[in-house]
């Protein structure tokens, strides 16, 4: 039946060559025996998918398949045009498995050489203003550095490392095993030289053949404006030195930002509670507010209610990954007076009488004295 191969790959008979290639890659991964170790039928399905792709990826054989079915397509079975990975006519299923799962394509070896240096993490404390406006800070860290005695080779002065005999200097070893579907090739880091490709026979006494020593180092870092508590700065290449000339790791600086006595931060916005008296709220006033940028004169309108929010544009936190600054939001809190003296209480009672407001009766002299005794 002419549609069988199309059904195997999950494409329509009108599918383009690229669509067929994408479908084949997906099906090949899905039915690979290594991905289905408990399914004995996966190997057979993988063969069927490969056979379907071999036909449909070749224009001539696909045309014969569409006209005459599988038997007609076999007439062009010697073509290598359906090989999506460049293995040619001599490539087997084992090569396909290797391309998909071993990390090697076409037989080339993976990366060898000395390993990368370790990443180092430190924590620094910042004042609230330093996080808002940015600063230059000094960072101290203990990290691996290249041994000065052996220049990082790990070998004692006057000697040199030798080529690793197990991997022949490649830094990795390749192993070939037979499976029912062909050869499987795997590559792994050489266990003897740990990927360096060389072995130290006369270790340096100062670093014991590691090529590294742990030392205290100081760095000056630029903390950008707008960082927040919990932010992390990454300094590429400032971490531990790599063994035997390997690339260095990175330095991660975790920031801890102190709280502010007056302001609470929310992203790029700052929030502040401004306390005013009943008289100031009722009659209005002007107050001097200390902001992060200096003193700001703030007008409190007559009749202000507790909870009113005043907005000062551009006096918040700079945007870390953008332009401009957030705003400062000032919430007004009207404080109710306590501990009133006789004259103050009399004035408030008179005000309540003028406004027709019901208030509690005055406390007796004994109750008042008793209350004051326990204050």
């Amino acid at each position: 039946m002419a549609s069988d191969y199309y059904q195997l790959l999950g494409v329509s008979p009108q599918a383009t060559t690229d669509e067929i290639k994408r479908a084949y890659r997906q099906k090949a991964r899905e039915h690979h025996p290594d991905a289905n170790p408990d399914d004995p039928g996966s190997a057979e399905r993988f063969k069927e998918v490969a056979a379907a792709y071999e036909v449909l990826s070749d224009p001539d054989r696909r045309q014969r398949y569409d006209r005459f079915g599988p038997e007609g397509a076999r007439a062009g079975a010697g073509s290598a045009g359906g090989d999506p990975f460049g293995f040619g006519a001599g490539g087997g299923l084992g090569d396909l498995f290797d391309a998909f799962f071993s990390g090697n394509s076409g037989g080339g070896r993976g990366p060898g050489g000395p390993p990368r240096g370790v990443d180092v993490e430190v924590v620094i404390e910042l004042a609230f203003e330093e996080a808002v406006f940015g600063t230059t800070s000094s960072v101290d860290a203990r990290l691996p550095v290249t041994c000065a005695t052996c220049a990082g080779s790990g070998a004692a002065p006057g000697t040199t490392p030798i080529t690793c005999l197990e991997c022949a200097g490649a830094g990795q070893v390749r192993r070939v095993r037979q499976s029912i579907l062909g050869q499987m090739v795997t590559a792994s880091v050489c266990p003897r030289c740990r990927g360096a490709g060389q072995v130290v026979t006369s270790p340096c006494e100062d670093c014991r053949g590691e090529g590294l020593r742990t030392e205290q180092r100081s760095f000056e870092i630029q903390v950008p404006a707008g960082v927040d508590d919990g932010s992390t700065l990454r300094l590429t290449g400032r971490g531990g030195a790599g063994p035997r000339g390997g690339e260095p790791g990175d330095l991660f600086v975790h920031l801890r930002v102190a709280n502010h006595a007056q302001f609470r931060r929310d992203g790029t916005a700052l929030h502040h509670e401004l306390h005013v008296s009943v008289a100031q709220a009722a009659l209005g006033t002007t107050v001097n507010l200390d902001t992060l940028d200096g003193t700001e004169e703030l007008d409190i309108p007559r009749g202000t209610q507790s909870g009113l929010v005043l907005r000062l544009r551009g006096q918040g936190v700079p945007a870390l990954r953008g332009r401009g600054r957030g705003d400062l939001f000032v919430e007004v809190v009207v404080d109710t007076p306590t501990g009133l003296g006789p004259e103050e209480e009399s004035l408030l009672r008179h005000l309540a009488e003028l406004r027709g407001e019901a208030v509690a009766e005055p406390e007796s002299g004994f109750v008042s004295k008793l209350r004051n005794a326990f204050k």
Side-chain angles (χ1 to χ4, degrees):
M1 185 174 175
S3 62
D4 286 348
Y5 282 174
Y6 295 107
Q7 290 177 352
L8 278 171
L9 297 181
V11 297
S12 71
Q14 291 76 38
T16 65
T17 302
D18 287 340
E19 290 173 338
I20 290 173
K21 180 181 290 188
R22 286 195 296 269
Y24 169 66
R25 288 176 178 269
Q26 180 179 349
K27 292 291 184 180
R29 290 183 181 275
E30 180 182 340
H31 297 300
H32 191 291
D34 283 359
N36 302 273
D38 299 324
D39 185 2
S42 62
E44 188 60 35
R45 289 194 297 274
F46 183 90
K47 285 183 178 181
E48 292 173 351
V49 167
Y53 179 79
E54 186 178 6
V55 171
L56 299 184
S57 61
D58 183 89
D60 294 335
R61 297 183 65 188
R62 180 179 179 180
Q63 186 178 22
R64 287 193 293 272
Y65 175 85
D66 290 341
R67 294 182 61 186
F68 307 111
E71 293 298 326
R74 290 196 184 101
S79 170
D83 181 7
F85 304 104
F87 294 120
L93 293 180
D95 297 316
L96 289 176
F97 292 175
D98 189 33
F100 273 118
F101 295 97
S102 72
N104 302 292
S105 178
R109 73 175 181 88
R116 179 178 178 273
V118 298
D119 293 332
V120 178
E121 298 180 86
V122 296
V123 178
I124 64 171
E125 306 283 342
L126 296 177
F128 191 87
E129 291 84 351
E130 290 177 326
V132 171
F133 296 115
T135 186
T136 299
S137 181
S138 179
V139 174
D140 296 323
R142 286 187 61 81
L143 45 77
V145 299
T146 301
C147 175
T149 303
C150 64
S153 70
T159 68
T160 57
I162 63 172
T163 301
C164 176
L165 299 178
E166 186 161 343
C167 65
Q172 63 175 234
V173 292
R174 294 169 58 85
R175 293 181 174 83
V176 180
R177 64 181 178 86
Q178 290 293 133
S179 72
I180 59 173
L181 298 175
Q183 291 183 340
M184 298 292 291
V185 182
T186 59
S188 59
V189 175
C190 176
R192 185 178 183 191
C193 67
R194 293 180 292 178
Q198 295 180 320
V199 176
V200 175
T201 56
S202 300
C204 169
E205 292 184 358
D206 289 344
C207 66
R208 299 181 181 179
E210 294 296 324
L212 303 173
R213 300 175 62 179
T214 300
E215 295 182 4
Q216 188 84 6
R217 290 294 171 92
S218 294
F219 304 94
E220 272 208 348
I221 64 170
Q222 294 295 325
V223 178
V227 296
D228 205 350
D229 184 61
S231 299
T232 298
L233 304 180
R234 178 178 182 175
L235 281 66
T236 304
R238 295 289 191 91
R244 316 270 176 81
E247 107 179 72
D250 299 333
L251 177 63
F252 292 87
V253 182
H254 304 294
L255 307 180
R256 297 290 178 264
V257 180
N259 293 326
H260 196 277
Q262 290 180 256
F263 302 107
R264 176 179 59 85
R265 178 176 174 177
D266 182 13
T268 60
L270 290 178
H271 297 267
H272 173 68
E273 282 189 355
L274 176 64
H275 291 259
V276 298
S277 68
V278 171
Q280 289 174 317
L283 303 176
T285 186
T286 299
V287 297
N288 289 326
L289 177 66
D290 291 329
T291 72
L292 296 181
D293 296 279
T295 302
E296 186 80 16
E297 202 171 70
L298 198 62
D299 291 328
I300 307 299
R302 293 172 64 94
T304 291
Q305 302 297 309
S306 192
L308 173 69
V309 176
L310 304 174
R311 181 176 187 174
L312 301 181
R313 295 185 179 276
Q315 296 206 29
V317 180
L320 183 60
R321 294 181 179 86
R323 295 181 179 179
R325 292 175 61 179
D327 300 327
L328 170 59
F329 296 91
V330 180
E331 181 180 355
V332 179
V333 178
V334 180
D335 292 331
T336 302
T338 59
L340 297 174
E343 187 177 354
E344 293 171 322
E345 183 170 339
S346 176
L347 288 171
L348 284 178
R349 288 187 179 279
H350 182 58
L351 176 63
E353 183 180 347
L354 291 174
R355 295 179 63 86
E357 299 170 347
V359 295
E361 293 295 326
E363 296 176 340
S364 66
F366 173 75
V367 174
S368 179
K369 290 179 180 179
L370 186 63
R371 186 186 301 276
N372 291 333
F374 286 97
K375 284 185 178 178

